[in-house]
Amino acid sequence: MSRTPLELPDFPWDSLVPFADRARSHPDGFIDLSVGSPVDPTPQIIRESLAAATDAHAYPQTSGSPALREAIVDWYARRRGVDDLSPANVLPTIGSKELVALLPMLFGLGKGDVVVHPSVAYPTYAIGAALVGATALASDEPEEWPAETRLVWLNSPGNPDGRVLDVDFLRRAVARARELGAVIVSDECYAELNWVGPDPTPSILDPRVIEGRRSSVLSVYSLSKQSNLAGYRAGFVAGCSDLIGELLAVRKHIGLIPPAPVQAAMITALGDDAHVAAQRELYRARRSRLVPALRAAGFRIDDSDAGLYLWATKGQDSWLTVSELADAGILVVPGTFYGENPAEHVRIALTASDAAISEAVARLDLFA
């Protein structure tokens, strides 16, 4: 029996291995500023909720428990200014990456369809298109989106660049997607980590954006960043009830069900704003130390208004910057991973301990 293997690009992180090995050989130790994986503890109240729910002998609901759906609805109203959702408008997911990768398949896209994503973007948007044979198009300008567009991904705050899309742009993007008959989805998982304002960044479900119509519009979120739940795989999607219903129907068939203890933990995480505020201040303090050190070392920082990363450049090939920092025992990610062309930026994560950030600052001083 013959078969055609999936044609996917090489996993980009594999090419970083030699530089990671070089950084690990530094006599004063390795500083990993490459991966946005939390290093701080999961809050105790969330861990207690998980532990209390470990008698999970029955199958959980794919749609999420009623209490979880209500918690998601309440969170959007309280933290995102979206106060008109109901349980029919929300659905928990097993983290957000699986949804990003599978959404073209879940919506029945295929050859001849176009999936639009940001020009500098998390690579999984394009992988999702490749999995179904659709065409991935990198574009930040709604007027450029072609007639064949069936799915549009926005990412605000952006990974890797921390770019924030304002209400006017979001409104324009939604209008263009509707004109094309496309679904438009905003990946918003860094929204609570806003460094230029007191409030979370705007959601695509903001009433000023959708103007009373949720049709064709979805917001995707993850608790990995704001609650240190990366290991729990805790995410959700909200928006158009028709689309949520389609996703639920397919996910029931293929068994994409968040575990019951994780659902219980999510309820606690969504209901407690204090731990999110505390974590945000930890990242703010780390950012406030790294930014001046990078600038003194000759870097320019672009965008980076929100999120867990600094999008920095020395005006040279990004791999050269990766190499120079690896020699100092610091690992960062080249812009080429995110489609930047020419690639001159590197992504520098804030997800390192206070001690590691202090050591990174000390080593950057040697570049000044």
Side-chain angles (χ1 to χ4, degrees), residues 157 161-164 193-197 201 287 302-307 309:
D161 57 7
R163 181 186 179 202
V164 175
L193 303 175
N194 183 9
W195 311 125
V196 298
T201 58
R287 183 181 186 276
D302 293 328
D303 294 316
S304 307
D305 291 333
Y309 313 106

Side-chain angles (χ1 to χ4, degrees), residues 52 77 103-104 110 126 145 160 176 199 228 258 260 277 328 331:
L103 203 60
W145 301 344
R176 176 58 174 164
D199 301 315
N228 298 333
L331 186 65

Side-chain angles (χ1 to χ4, degrees), residues 28 42 50 52 89 96 100 110 121 142 156 189 191 207 217 247 255 315 317 331 333:
D28 294 325
T42 300
L50 183 81
N89 298 114
S96 60
V100 172
S156 178
C189 66
V217 181
L247 292 174
D317 182 274
L331 186 65
V333 181

Side-chain angles (χ1 to χ4, degrees), residues 120-280:
V120 176
Y122 181 55
T124 308
Y125 307 126
I127 293 296
L131 287 172
V132 297
T135 299
L137 173 66
S139 173
D140 298 319
E141 179 45 62
E143 295 307 313
E144 296 176 355
W145 301 344
E148 298 79 12
T149 301
R150 294 294 173 265
L151 175 63
V152 176
W153 280 106
L154 304 179
N155 182 206
S156 178
N159 175 12
D161 57 7
R163 181 186 179 202
V164 175
L165 303 178
D166 62 23
V167 167
D168 288 342
F169 179 88
L170 292 172
R171 187 188 298 118
R172 186 159 60 93
V174 167
R176 176 58 174 164
R178 286 175 171 161
E179 179 183 316
L180 295 168
V183 174
I184 185 166
V185 189
S186 181
D187 181 350
E188 302 175 345
C189 66
Y190 300 96
E192 286 277 11
L193 303 175
N194 183 9
W195 311 125
V196 298
D199 301 315
T201 58
S203 173
I204 199 170
L205 297 178
D206 189 299
R208 296 169 296 172
V209 174
I210 61 172
E211 299 178 329
R213 294 177 56 220
R214 278 189 300 271
S215 63
S216 76
V217 181
L218 294 172
S219 161
V220 172
Y221 208 79
S222 166
L223 298 181
S224 296
K225 283 71 178 176
Q226 69 184 48
S227 298
N228 298 333
L229 296 187
Y232 284 48
R233 311 313 301 133
F236 47 89
V237 57
C240 174
S241 58
D242 290 340
L243 296 178
I244 294 293
E246 289 181 34
L247 292 174
L248 176 58
V250 180
R251 292 172 74 85
K252 283 179 178 178
H253 278 294
I254 58 181
L256 290 173
I257 311 172
V262 173
Q263 293 193 33
M266 290 174 68
I267 293 168
T268 298
L270 288 163
D272 180 71
D273 296 334
H275 79 274
V276 179
Q279 187 61 49
R280 181 169 51 245

Side-chain angles (χ1 to χ4, degrees), residues 309-330:
Y309 313 106
L310 298 173
W311 191 231
T313 179
K314 294 182 75 176
Q316 63 187 20
D317 182 274
S318 63
W319 280 108
L320 177 57
T321 304
V322 169
S323 179
E324 291 175 350
L325 290 173
D327 287 337
I330 301 171

